[in-house]
Amino acid sequence: FPSHDTPVSAPAVGYARMLQPNSDQRYCTLTLIDDACALTAGHCLEVLQEAVFFNGNGSDVYQADDSISRYRIDPTFIHAPQSRIGNDWAVVRLLPNSQTGLLPGKVHGFIEPVLDVAEFPDGPLALKAINRSSEGHFFQQNSPGEVLWTDGSILFHNLDTSAGSSGALVTDALGLKAFAIHTHGGCNTMKNNKATIIARLPNLVRSICAVS
C-alpha cells in the first residue's frame, strides 16, 4: 500500500542498493541490529552490495554523494534463503566505512531484534522504511499500525508500505525492538501486508547470532 506518513529520523534505518546505481534502480530497506549486522528481505538479494544510511545532518533526505554514510556489504556473509512468504529474510554483515574506518553501528546505532519471544506487545507497532520521492530523493518514513493476525512465521499487519519498504523491520511503537521483517505488500498478494516473524524461524535466529 502507498505510504502517506510523515518523515522520521531513524539513523539505523537505511537502504541497500547495487554498487553502480542509476535513477530507476531497485532498492530495499535495511536496518542495523548491531555494529556490523543488518536485516532485510531475502528477495532483495540482487541489491545487497552497498548500504546507505541517514547522514545525520538534520535533514530527512539522504545525500547520495555522502561517502561517509555508505558501507560495502560483505559478499562473504550474506545469508538469504529467498524462500516463501514467512521465510523471506536476509542477514548481512557490513564492512567498515572506507574513509572513516568505522562500522556503521558505531555511527548510526542499531535496533535490537527479539530472538526468543514470538508474542507481540499490546498496542501499536511501527515500521520505519525508506521511500523515494518522484524527484528521486530517498527519505525515511514511519508508519504506525498493528498486528492483524499471525500464521506460523507469517505476520499480517496494516502498517503502510511502499515498494522500497521490503526489508523494513516491524518494531514496537518506540522503534526500540524489532519483531518481524516486512516482505510483501497487500496490494500484490493476499490483500494484507506480510512480514517474517524473527523469533519463529530458528535458522534466522542462528544466522543473527553467528554474525552478532
Side-chain angles (χ1 to χ4, degrees):
F1 296 121
S3 176
H4 302 287
D5 303 292
T6 56
V8 61
S9 176
V13 180
Y15 63 96
R17 66 178 185 181
M18 303 178 88
L19 283 171
Q20 297 180 331
N22 53 58
S23 60
D24 59 351
Q25 72 158 43
R26 185 179 168 212
Y27 70 97
C28 287
T29 298
L30 175 146
T31 305
L32 291 164
I33 59 170
D34 74 4
D35 286 346
C37 182
L39 294 180
T40 187
H43 69 259
C44 296
L45 181 62
E46 69 178 10
V47 302
L48 297 182
Q49 297 182 10
E50 181 179 61
V52 184
F53 293 95
F54 176 56
N55 61 13
N57 66 357
S59 169
D60 289 303
V61 176
Y62 285 83
Q63 304 299 316
D65 59 350
D66 185 1
S67 59
I68 64 172
S69 296
R70 301 201 304 261
Y71 302 81
R72 292 285 298 271
I73 294 173
D74 185 351
T76 69
F77 198 105
I78 298 176
H79 291 185
Q82 293 192 95
S83 188
R84 58 175 173 79
I85 293 175
N87 191 34
D88 185 349
W89 54 269
V91 180
V92 302
R93 180 167 56 202
L94 278 62
L95 300 172
N97 180 268
S98 60
Q99 291 192 28
T100 66
L102 297 174
L103 290 168
K106 295 293 188 184
V107 179
H108 307 284
F110 52 84
I111 295 173
E112 179 184 352
V114 176
L115 305 181
D116 57 356
V117 179
E119 300 302 321
F120 297 88
D122 294 331
L125 298 176
L127 183 132
K128 291 179 172 60
I130 303 303
N131 205 341
R132 182 165 53 186
S133 69
S134 58
E135 294 81 19
H137 300 301
F138 291 94
F139 58 95
Q140 299 176 10
Q141 285 192 306
N142 179 53
S143 301
E146 59 187 17
V147 174
L148 299 179
W149 71 88
T150 65
D151 182 2
S153 61
I154 304 173
L155 167 70
F156 295 87
H157 65 85
N158 63 1
L159 297 137
D160 280 348
T161 61
S162 61
S165 298
S166 287
L169 299 187
V170 177
T171 72
D172 62 339
L174 297 178
L176 300 177
K177 294 183 180 294
F179 299 91
I181 305 168
H182 170 74
T183 59
H184 294 81
C187 297
N188 298 319
T189 56
M190 299 168 59
K191 295 185 179 180
N192 297 108
N193 289 331
K194 288 156 289 296
T196 295
I197 301 173
I198 297 170
R200 293 185 182 176
L201 289 175
N203 287 342
L204 171 53
V205 172
R206 282 194 291 269
S207 290
I208 292 172
C209 293
V211 72
S212 298

